[in-house]
Each structure stands twice: as structure tokens, then as C-alpha cells.
Amino acid sequence: SVELNPALLPLDWLLGTWESDEPGEGCFPTIKPFRYTETLNFSHVGQPVINFMFNAFHAETKKPLHRECGFIRMQPGTNRVAFIIAQNSGSLVEIEEGELTAQQLNLHSQSLARTSFAREPYVQQISRVFQLRPDGRLEQTVSMATDNQALMQHLHITYRRSS
Ligand code: HEM
């Protein structure tokens, strides 16, 4: 296997595959609450970039639902982190940036774009927190703002490392 680029050492705790240990919870004022499972994969090929894929499924029917993939970079010499993300739903692409403190990442969208024929309501902001908990689980919380709603939680889920 390729050696990890030293620029990524502060994020080495993310690398590998993570499976939701129990269904995650989705909510928003305008939708029916739902439950989902999700697999995350973070990998590298020796470049100062982490490649990632998130695949979410309906908790009961197991049908594929949401997908995201992208790249993570760190600004050299700082704790500033950038996520470059493409999402299947909402025909959305985004840049999120934020700070790494210990084993927690706090990110906020810096720019969002979508196809000309994306469905409304449009997402206007996204915030997320990744945290490696003391029990070894990874936790992700996502909030969003849309045309109709101020920034509010959409997702909460915890994962167990599977490889
Ligand atoms: C609904 C955005 C991740 C499942 C929505 C809506 C938006 C949205 C804008 C419509 C809200 C409204 O009608 O007012 C996002 C964004 C995500 C994300 C920006 C990631 C950053 C996920 C994930 C799942 C999911 C991981 C997991 C399965 C759903 C479901 C609904 C929904 C089931 C309600 C039904 C529907 O409108 O399709 N999401 N979502 N979302 N989202 Fe997400």
C-alpha cells in the first residue's frame, strides 16, 4: 500500500471504511422523519488528498438513496480543511471549509451550485460536524438551510469502523 502523504497525518483517523452501527436519523421541518444506513469510505493514493464516497440506503427497504463523493485537502501548515463534494440528490456540488480541532471537523459550505433543472427548494447552506468519539465511533451531524427554512439539522448518524 502507498505511504500516507504527511500533509494528511492530522486526518489519518478518518481513513478506511465505516458502517452505520444503527440507523441514522433524518429530519427537517418540511419532511417526514426517516431512518437510513450509510457506508463511508475514505482512501488515499499518496497524494495530499483524501478521496471519499458516502453511500446511504433506506433503513427498511435497503434501497440506495443518497450518494456523495469528493476530495478532502488541508491547507499546508494550518488546521484548515476543505471538502469538495458532488451529491446525486439535489444535483448539487459544494465546497465546504472549516477547522480541524483534535479529532473533530467543523465544516460550513463556502459555495454551492446545482443543475439548471434541479428541484426546489434549493439548499442554501450546509454545515457538518465529523467527530471521532472516545469509544472509537465516528459521528456525523448535517444541518442545512433551504429557500424556505433557516439552518436546521437534517441528519445524525454514528458509524463503526469496518476496515
Ligand atoms: C429531503 C438535502 C443528505 C434523505 C431533502 C431535501 C433537501 C435535502 C433539500 C428536501 C427538503 C424540503 O423539501 O424542504 C440534503 C443534503 C444532504 C442530504 C444537502 C447532504 C448534505 C441526505 C442523506 C439521506 C437523505 C444522506 C439519507 C438517506 C432524504 C430524504 C428526504 C430528504 C428521505 C425526504 C424525501 C425527499 O424529499 O426525497 N434532503 N440531503 N438526505 N433527504 Fe436529504
Side-chain angles (χ1 to χ4, degrees):
S1 68
V2 189
E3 205 173 315
L4 183 65
N5 191 292
L8 294 178
L9 278 172
L11 290 173
D12 63 354
W13 51 276
L14 270 181
L15 291 167
T17 302
W18 300 85
E19 300 270 359
S20 47
D21 49 353
E22 53 191 51
E25 290 169 357
C27 57
F28 207 61
T30 46
I31 65 174
K32 228 176 73 186
F34 62 93
R35 283 148 53 90
Y36 67 105
T37 62
E38 192 172 40
T39 305
L40 311 185
N41 178 264
F42 298 92
S43 64
H44 73 96
V45 290
Q47 299 172 324
V49 185
I50 291 177
N51 311 307
F52 71 82
M53 296 199 299
F54 299 172
N55 295 324
F57 304 86
H58 192 283
E60 282 83 38
T61 66
K62 320 276 190 235
K63 261 177 50 179
L65 284 176
H66 194 266
R67 296 195 155 212
E68 306 177 47
C69 60
F71 307 97
I72 308 172
R73 285 183 178 274
M74 287 198 75
Q75 183 177 17
T78 72
N79 62 349
R80 188 129 199 105
V81 178
F83 277 51
I84 302 134
I85 308 176
Q87 302 199 14
N88 65 342
S89 61
S91 307
L92 195 66
V93 295
E94 46 156 340
I95 306 285
E96 290 182 20
E97 290 194 22
E99 308 268 295
L100 172 67
T101 42
Q103 291 170 329
Q104 177 169 326
L105 270 169
N106 274 284
L107 302 159
H108 193 77
S109 53
Q110 304 298 306
S111 90
L112 290 171
R114 58 185 66 79
T115 62
S116 59
F117 47 88
R119 261 190 303 148
E120 295 182 64
Y122 293 163
V123 179
Q124 298 296 355
Q125 290 179 60
I126 300 173
S127 282
R128 42 180 127 196
V129 182
F130 289 96
Q131 182 169 23
L132 184 64
R133 303 197 321 197
D135 64 4
R137 285 181 201 181
L138 182 67
E139 189 172 1
Q140 181 180 193
T141 308
V142 177
S143 301
M144 66 178 172
T146 66
D147 296 332
N148 315 320
Q149 289 292 328
L151 195 65
M152 212 163 284
Q153 187 167 312
H154 182 37
L155 308 162
H156 180 260
I157 188 166
T158 59
Y159 314 87
R160 227 191 276 266
R161 187 183 279 290
S162 72
S163 67

